[in-house]
């Protein structure tokens, strides 16, 4: 119940920022259109990165706007897990809503050339990973500008890195890339499995670190009277 | 100001002076009868409503004054030996504060004396370098600023705080709106918090802090941007909370109300350096 | 008479005058103001008169009752209590003595 209320207010907060919403949609679209002339695979991969970037940026900002308010919420009866789980749920929902029209776009544009179910799964994982990743950066780097730049570095790295490099496996959005390869290049199941495992592991890890940092930051340092 | 408006304002002002509803009605009715009989404009016959209300309140002081206060109850908040350093600067040096149920404590001091820091430590949001805070009961905390979401409606902020306190949506809105009305504020439908004036935002802040019947209220200068009337209303709330048996700690740099609080904690160092 | 002086003097004796007027018969605020005006004090503003009435009521020298007048709407009628009668007797004696002293000093 408390988680739902936090999620609801986070969504209301976000959707009233019209410009932010427009940019959230514009970013993946731009990425997609820029590479549309190339092979199908590249445009979809860029779309996924754009989506992940947009959602993680939204999560980063949501975490920033809530930071000064969370102490008071914590003192008003919320536990820290209500706060970060509520925000996470909101960002997931928002991400899925943003992803939906792009799925329709891919289905219309390349529906006959790709495994559509796997494309949906890749988008789902881009969103699933991006939300806690944005919250994680928000928790690690309190100032929004620094957080945004850090996110830029990570996404830039993700785009530039040679897919053969071993380092690619520790980048956050590798999972959706692998699933996308499975979807577009009709590879074997190992890509799918690898992507799923990586995505789940990364999500759990990022959420765990967010939980840890949030609980630490919002711990209440009071001794309760024994009679209370 | 026409007479009706003047009489209405008088009623508001009398209520601010804590006259009961009957007393308010009688004083207003008598003034109205006088205006009708004399045909004079109210401002000429009675002066400003504020001034007349103050004169009436003073005349009635013994009878309608603040009801006898219950004796202070058990200790609700106890801060012992609180010390806080930022880098090498000591902000707070072994500060003690004990507030009982039904007491008001004012925390005063120059800018930078550590008033807000001390309040945050009392709220358990900051760890002191030394000392301990003991709390008995539920806490309500009103930060100096940044306690609200810009893009949410006041009603939504009430719901958010209320849910934390275990209240359902309707009840939360009801309590929030009642608190707002008591501060002479009726949230307009559909106006987001970012479009509220500074003073109104502080009202929202204050209403949010007092939701859920806290036993201890920590208020960090919550009246900035209030006009004079609302400022008086704010102190009326403080007295009311106190008379209801809550412990109230108010950070303030205004000294006008200090004669009425139960204790004053002055955080201004006695003299820099020599205070040690 | 200079307004400020008049105000100062009046503040000292207004409660006595009100008690005296109410000693003759019960009355309400506006009527008292008119009576004081007729007695030569000039116009007494409501903002001055009613706080005095409330204080006298609080200290138990007068009581009040809301009543419909013979004509017109309800008014708050004041009348002296027993305490008020005793106070009036004492205060008017005190005033005679005091005014005598002032006279004596001025006319010498």
């Amino acid at each position: 119940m408390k988680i739902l209320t936090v999620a609801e207010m986070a969504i209301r907060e976000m959707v009233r920022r019209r410009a932010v919403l427009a940019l959230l949609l514009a970013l993946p679209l731009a990425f997609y259109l820029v590479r549309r002339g190339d092979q199908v695979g590249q445009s979809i991969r860029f779309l996924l990165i754009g989506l992940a970037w947009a959602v993680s940026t939204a999560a980063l900002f949501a975490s920033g706007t809530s930071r000064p308010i969370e102490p008071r919420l914590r003192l008003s009866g919320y536990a820290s897990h209500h706060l970060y789980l509520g925000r996470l749920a909101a960002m997931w929902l928002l991400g899925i809503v943003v992803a939906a029209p792009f799925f329709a776009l891919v289905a219309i544009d390349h529906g006959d050339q790709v495994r559509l179910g796997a494309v949906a799964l890749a988008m789902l994982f881009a969103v699933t990973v991006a939300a806690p990743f944005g919250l994680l950066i928000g928790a690690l780097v309190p100032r929004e500008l620094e957080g945004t730049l850090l996110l830029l570095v990570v996404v830039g790295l993700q785009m530039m890195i040679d897919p053969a490099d071993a380092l690619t496996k520790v980048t956050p959005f590798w999972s959706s890339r692998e699933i996308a390869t499975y979807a577009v290049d009709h590879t074997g199941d190992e890509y799918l499995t690898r992507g799923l495992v990586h995505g789940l592991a990364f999500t759990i890890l990022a959420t765990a670190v967010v939980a840890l940092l949030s609980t630490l930051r919002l711990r209440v340092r009071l001794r309760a009277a024994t009679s209370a | 100001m026409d007479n009706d408006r003047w009489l209405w304002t008088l009623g508001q002002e009398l209520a601010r002076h804590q006259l009961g509803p009957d007393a308010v009605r009688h004083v207003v009715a008598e003034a109205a009868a006088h205006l009708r009989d004399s045909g004079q404009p109210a401002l000429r016959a009675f002066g400003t409503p504020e001034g007349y209300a103050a004169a009436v309140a003073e005349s009635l002081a013994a009878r309608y004054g603040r009801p006898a206060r219950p004796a202070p109850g058990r200790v609700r908040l106890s801060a012992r030996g609180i010390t806080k350093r930022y880098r090498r600067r000591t902000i707070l040096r072994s500060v003690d504060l004990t507030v009982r149920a039904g007491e008001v404590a004012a925390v005063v001091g120059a800018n930078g004396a550590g008033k807000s820091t001390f309040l945050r430590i009392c709220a358990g949001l900051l760890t002191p370098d030394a000392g301990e805070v003991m709390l008995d009961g539920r806490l309500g905390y009103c930060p100096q600023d940044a306690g609200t979401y810009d893009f949410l409606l006041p009603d939504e902020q009430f719901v958010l705080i209320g849910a934390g306190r275990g209240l359902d949506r309707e009840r939360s809105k009801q309590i929030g709106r009642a608190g707002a009305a008591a501060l002479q504020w009726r949230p307009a439908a559909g106006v987001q918090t970012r479009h509220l004036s500074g003073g109104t935002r502080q009202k929202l802040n204050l209403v949010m802090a007092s939701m859920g019947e806290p036993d201890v209220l920590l208020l960090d200068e919550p009246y900035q941007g209030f006009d004079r009337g609302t400022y008086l209303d704010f102190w009326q709330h403080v007295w009311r909370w106190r008379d209801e048996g809550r412990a109230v700690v108010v950070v303030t740099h205004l000294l006008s109300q200090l004669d009425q609080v139960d204790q004053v904690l002055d955080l201004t160092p006695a003299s820099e350096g020599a205070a040690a | 008479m200079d307004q400020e002086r008049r105000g100062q003097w009046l503040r000292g004796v207004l409660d006595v005058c009100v008690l005296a007027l109410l000693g003759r018969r019960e009355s309400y605020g506006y009527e008292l103001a008119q009576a004081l005006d007729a007695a030569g004090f000039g116009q007494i503003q409501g903002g001055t008169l009613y706080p005095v009435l409330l204080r006298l009521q609080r200290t138990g020298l007068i009581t009040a009752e809301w009543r419909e007048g013979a004509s017109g709407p309800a008014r708050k009628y004041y009348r002296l209590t027993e305490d008020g009668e005793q106070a009036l007797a004492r205060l008017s004696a005190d005033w005679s003595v005091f005014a005598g002293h002032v006279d004596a000093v001025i006319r010498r």
Side-chain angles (χ1 to χ4, degrees), chain B residues 25-27 29-31 33-34 36-40 44-47 52 55-56 58-63, chain C residues 28-31 33 43-55 57-58 66 73-76 78:
Chain B
R25 216 173 48 242
H26 284 171
V27 172
E30 191 173 31
H34 182 94
R36 207 168 41 233
D37 287 339
S38 68
Q40 280 183 332
R44 204 165 134 240
F46 289 96
Y52 184 57
V56 166
E58 202 197 330
S59 299
L60 295 176
R63 184 153 161 208
Chain C
Y28 56 92
Y30 180 62
E31 198 176 54
Q43 205 167 44
I44 308 289
Q45 299 301 359
T48 311
L49 178 62
Y50 289 99
V52 169
L53 285 165
L54 289 169
R55 202 172 310 124
Q57 188 188 353
R58 186 196 88 210
W66 280 90
R75 295 202 179 89
K76 193 177 176 187
Y78 297 92

Side-chain angles (χ1 to χ4, degrees), chain B residues 24-90:
Chain B
V24 170
R25 216 173 48 242
H26 284 171
V27 172
V28 172
E30 191 173 31
H34 182 94
L35 294 174
R36 207 168 41 233
D37 287 339
S38 68
Q40 280 183 332
L43 264 177
R44 204 165 134 240
F46 289 96
T48 64
E50 293 82 6
Y52 184 57
V56 166
E58 202 197 330
S59 299
L60 295 176
R63 184 153 161 208
Y64 292 109
R66 223 169 287 135
R69 284 176 52 196
R74 63 180 185 214
V75 173
R76 285 294 191 186
L77 180 80
S78 157
R80 298 245 150 275
I82 301 299
T83 298
K84 183 73 185 174
R85 282 181 286 273
Y86 278 121
R87 312 225 166 146
R88 291 176 59 198
R89 209 162 87 81
T90 301

Side-chain angles (χ1 to χ4, degrees), chain A residues 136-187:
Chain A
L136 174 62
I137 293 197
L140 285 174
V141 192
R143 274 179 281 270
E144 278 180 359
L145 178 60
E146 292 161 25
T148 312
L149 291 175
L150 182 58
L151 205 52
L152 187 64
V153 169
V154 171
V155 175
L157 200 68
Q158 184 97 49
M159 285 196 287
M160 308 301 183
I161 202 164
D162 175 1
D165 196 319
L167 203 61
T168 178
K169 288 185 183 161
V170 299
T171 53
F173 307 124
W174 187 66
S175 52
S176 57
R177 186 190 170 89
E178 291 297 285
I179 302 173
T181 305
Y182 169 81
V184 175
D185 300 335
H186 300 272
T187 56

Side-chain angles (χ1 to χ4, degrees), chain C residues 1-13 36-37 40-45:
Chain C
M1 198 193 304
D2 135 39
Q3 282 300 309
E4 199 186 325
R5 175 75 63 187
R6 173 180 160 273
Q8 281 176 6
W9 285 353
L10 197 56
R11 255 197 291 287
V13 295
L36 289 164
D37 191 1
F41 285 107
Q43 205 167 44
I44 308 289
Q45 299 301 359

